[in-house]
Amino acid sequence: MPVSAAHSAASERVLESAHFINKNSSDVFVPEAGVQQAAHEIIKRMKSTGYSTEEWKKHELTPNTADAAAIEWIFVVDTLNFSFWSDRTNKNEQYTVTLDGTEHRGYWSLCAAINRAINEGIPITHASYYAHASLSDLSHIFRTDLPNVQDHIPMLAERVQCLHETGRVLLEKYGGKFANMLKQCEGSAQTLVEMVVRDFACYRDEHMFQGRRVDLYKRAQILVADIWACFEGQKDGMFEDIDKITMFADYRVPQALCHFGALEYSPRLLEYLKTSEVAVRQGTSASPPEPGLLPTGHKWEVEIRGNSIWAVERICQHIRASGVHVNAILIDFYMWDYAKAHPEAMASIPIHLTRSIFY
């Protein structure tokens, strides 16, 4: 059943959390001059490339038909949409999935593995299958197929748990289909986000910061955004309040925000991130303040994610003030694509290394 209107403002809670984090941060900042410059550069580039929701379906791995099968594909992919960074510097040793002769890494390796399973007749997008799939089953689905690759998909056991949890809830409450849950939101993006975080614990991206709970909901919001983009805002992807969805706080978009000058780190945090990249890849990772993995929920991690949401919100505000309609989803999609397409421009900007099911 859908949530009541009084409790349907999930994305507004995310934005309020981001503002609170911004006002109480000591090591991550959103410089106004940088935001204005970033807004100018981003909208100029988006106009020159004609960037829109159509970009989502242009990729060879995403569904090219907006139908019921696409909805279930999107749900499974976003249930597993977390932690793709590799601690190996040699690309040829990183987790890789080959599909139709093309090698895929990072997020796209997940999409390729799902599509490969479908091609092999494995019903990976059916809740009746993945609610009970074994570790061995999923290890086969997410296998790498290059003999020189040393990496495996990160957090496989956690991925199994996420699929079991979501699959069982869908079977118990929604007839085994996420499409049935989607129908109950009645065209409200905020209601759908609220339903997702209510029913699926693995989507509940909530943390403590400065004595209060903050909600970030990266995967729940990108789930809604992917459906909206796939259907280009029509039919099952028509949400009256889609502009309420915020940026999806991960580790790649903050890197792009730094590149465009809309996000800044304190000298001590920047040094920590740079030395942590080296430490993790050398196998000498420790706990903060020593270089290494940044634990999920750590103050610095929350500051980076919260300020990223706030920075994108401020960018959107500046662009809208110029008379151009844009939302945080398109800004996020564009910046993620930009960061992936321009690795040389991102090389000097470290990402924060966190293993988390939330992003």
Side-chain angles (χ1 to χ4, degrees):
M1 60 184 295
V3 295
S4 65
H7 299 287
S8 63
S11 295
E12 291 181 358
R13 293 203 308 275
V14 173
L15 193 59
E16 195 278 327
S17 293
H19 193 198
F20 174 80
I21 293 167
N22 172 257
K23 290 190 297 182
N24 292 277
S25 292
S26 57
D27 290 279
V28 185
F29 315 99
V30 179
E32 187 61 23
V35 165
Q36 293 181 27
Q37 180 62 27
H40 175 76
E41 285 294 321
I42 290 167
I43 197 60
K44 181 174 70 174
R45 292 169 187 260
M46 289 178 73
K47 284 182 176 180
S48 68
T49 59
Y51 199 87
S52 70
T53 54
E54 294 179 6
E55 299 299 316
W56 191 93
K57 286 197 290 188
K58 286 182 180 179
H59 197 282
E60 61 183 312
L61 295 176
T62 54
N64 52 28
T65 302
D67 57 14
I71 292 173
E72 304 308 323
W73 186 94
I74 289 169
F75 179 71
V76 168
V77 166
D78 281 328
T79 294
L80 302 174
N81 185 0
F82 55 84
S83 199
F84 298 108
W85 60 266
S86 175
D87 57 7
R88 297 178 184 272
T89 55
N90 186 341
K91 185 175 71 171
N92 294 324
E93 295 181 352
Q94 296 173 0
Y95 175 69
T96 306
V97 174
T98 304
L99 186 65
D100 298 328
T102 301
E103 296 178 3
H104 300 280
R105 297 177 180 84
Y107 166 76
W108 296 116
S109 68
L110 167 66
C111 300
I114 295 297
N115 290 350
R116 180 179 61 187
I118 293 171
N119 292 344
E120 293 173 347
I122 300 172
I124 184 58
T125 60
H126 294 233
S128 58
Y129 172 79
Y130 61 77
H132 307 288
S134 68
L135 179 62
S136 176
D137 293 333
L138 293 178
S139 181
H140 172 74
I141 288 171
F142 296 114
R143 69 192 183 277
T144 185
D145 41 21
L146 297 181
N148 58 322
V149 167
Q150 304 297 312
D151 246 349
H152 299 284
I153 190 169
M155 305 183 75
L156 178 60
E158 288 82 358
R159 296 178 198 278
V160 174
Q161 292 171 3
C162 289
L163 287 175
H164 284 178
E165 178 206 336
T166 55
R168 288 167 181 165
V169 171
L170 288 181
L171 291 170
E172 292 168 4
K173 299 183 66 174
Y174 300 102
K177 294 186 180 298
F178 180 71
N180 292 333
M181 187 179 200
L182 175 61
K183 290 175 184 176
Q184 292 190 19
C185 80
E186 300 177 339
S188 170
Q190 296 235 50
T191 298
L192 185 55
V193 171
E194 196 73 61
M195 292 173 68
V196 168
V197 299
R198 178 196 67 191
D199 286 355
F200 306 121
C202 66
Y203 276 87
R204 218 166 287 152
D205 188 1
E206 301 164 353
H207 309 274
M208 294 301 298
F209 179 78
Q210 299 288 11
R212 58 154 283 184
R213 194 185 89 180
V214 291
D215 302 339
L216 302 179
Y217 298 153
K218 182 262 186 180
R219 288 196 295 113
Q221 291 198 106
I222 203 171
L223 169 61
V224 176
D226 283 344
I227 293 170
W228 174 71
C230 178
F231 286 83
E232 297 184 50
Q234 302 300 312
K235 298 181 180 178
D236 289 317
M238 183 182 291
F239 299 104
E240 60 184 13
D241 53 352
I242 193 65
D243 289 349
K244 295 290 187 180
I245 297 294
T246 74
M247 168 267 189
F248 321 119
D250 64 355
Y251 52 85
R252 188 61 66 193
V253 175
Q255 187 184 40
L257 286 166
C258 287
H259 169 76
F260 282 105
L263 199 67
E264 286 185 0
Y265 299 149
S266 68
R268 69 171 180 171
L269 177 55
L270 186 61
E271 178 63 18
Y272 170 82
L273 295 177
K274 288 180 176 179
T275 55
S276 290
E277 284 193 335
V278 175
V280 169
R281 284 167 181 149
Q282 289 181 342
T284 58
S285 176
S287 299
E290 297 300 317
L293 287 177
L294 194 57
T296 184
H298 187 276
K299 175 180 179 293
W300 284 343
E301 186 229 16
V302 175
E303 285 193 18
I304 291 171
R305 298 183 71 205
N307 278 287
S308 295
I309 295 170
W310 190 245
V312 170
E313 175 63 19
R314 294 292 295 130
I315 289 170
C316 282
Q317 290 172 359
H318 278 284
I319 293 175
R320 290 171 186 151
S322 71
V324 178
H325 179 264
V326 72
N327 61 31
I329 298 172
L330 285 177
I331 297 294
D332 183 286
F333 282 178
Y334 174 79
M335 298 193 80
W336 192 89
D337 286 343
Y338 183 89
K340 296 294 287 185
H342 299 85
E344 69 289 342
M346 303 294 127
S348 63
I349 305 170
I351 64 171
H352 65 283
L353 301 178
T354 298
R355 287 293 183 206
S356 168
I357 67 167
F358 298 123
Y359 63 100

